[in-house]
Amino acid sequence: MGDNAALAEARRKMIEKRFNGDARGAATGGSGSARRKVKVEVKSVSDDKKLSSSLKKLNLQEIKGIEEVNMFREDDSVLHVTRPKVQANIPSNTFVISGQVAEKTIFELIPGIVSQLSPEQLQKLSQQMGQGQQQQRPDTIEEEDDEEEDDDAIPELVENFEEASKK
């Protein structure tokens, strides 16, 4: 019995020390309790407002009808903007392009951007395409040459067409 009494006394002292004598545990809520703080996400609304006010000061006009914008980099990558919002102040040579941006290679956009490439980029692209074709297996190229020779050959006559036409 002595052990139980000592244990009960130790529990009472522990509860008193940790929970200020309340055997039910720490109080959550009610008067005098700490308020829970809600974490608020900070949005960049202020940045958007500052940007839009700066753009208004530039007196930009929206240019409509532009479906995509491609910006070519020196490392042969392309910044591709689909459905861009293009604003411009032509006398001051100022353009603002906003929209969804994706970084792609020239090869991913090749059929649609050939007319947009500079002469240096076209030459570089043709060199890269030539290197890609040279890296094909040599035996595959020889087989293609044999097929071309077979296509150029004239087939031999199987029957006499003059006799068939007289019938």
Side-chain angles (χ1 to χ4, degrees):
M1 279 267 203
D3 289 333
N4 287 340
L7 188 60
E9 182 64 27
R11 283 186 181 158
R12 187 184 62 75
K13 285 183 181 179
M14 181 188 70
I15 290 172
E16 198 173 305
K17 182 179 177 184
R18 292 180 85 192
F19 303 116
N20 293 329
D22 189 5
R24 292 176 294 152
T28 56
S31 63
S33 65
R35 247 187 165 174
R36 285 191 180 180
K37 295 181 181 175
V38 177
K39 187 174 183 180
V40 178
E41 284 188 33
V42 178
K43 295 182 181 178
S44 62
V45 174
S46 63
D47 291 340
D48 290 342
K49 287 181 181 178
K50 287 179 184 178
L51 179 63
S52 63
S53 67
S54 298
L55 292 177
K56 285 180 185 177
K57 289 178 186 176
L58 293 173
N59 195 21
L60 298 171
Q61 302 295 324
E62 186 172 348
I63 301 174
K64 297 187 184 222
I66 297 178
E67 295 175 4
E68 68 178 8
V69 173
N70 294 317
M71 292 185 211
F72 298 93
R73 293 181 160 178
E74 291 181 5
D75 63 347
D76 294 335
S77 63
V78 179
L79 290 178
H80 181 72
V81 184
T82 53
R83 289 183 274 129
K85 179 181 178 185
V86 179
Q87 298 171 318
N89 185 345
I90 297 174
S92 66
N93 198 22
T94 306
F95 294 88
V96 176
I97 301 169
S98 56
Q100 292 289 82
V101 178
E103 186 172 346
K104 298 183 178 184
T105 63
I106 291 179
F107 295 109
E108 293 175 13
L109 302 170
I110 199 67
I113 64 167
V114 173
S115 62
Q116 301 171 7
L117 296 175
S118 69
E120 297 99 23
Q121 289 173 325
L122 278 173
Q123 185 179 10
K124 195 174 195 180
L125 185 65
S126 64
Q127 288 174 354
Q128 289 177 350
M129 295 295 273
Q131 289 174 355
Q133 289 177 353
Q134 289 175 356
Q135 291 176 354
Q136 283 183 348
R137 295 184 316 192
D139 54 327
T140 307
I141 296 172
E142 290 174 5
E143 289 175 6
E144 291 175 1
D145 291 340
D146 291 341
E147 289 176 8
E148 288 177 11
E149 290 176 8
D150 292 343
D151 291 340
D152 293 339
I154 300 172
E156 295 184 22
L157 293 176
V158 179
E159 59 185 66
N160 191 351
F161 291 105
E162 290 179 7
E163 290 178 12
S165 64
K166 291 180 182 176
K167 291 183 182 177

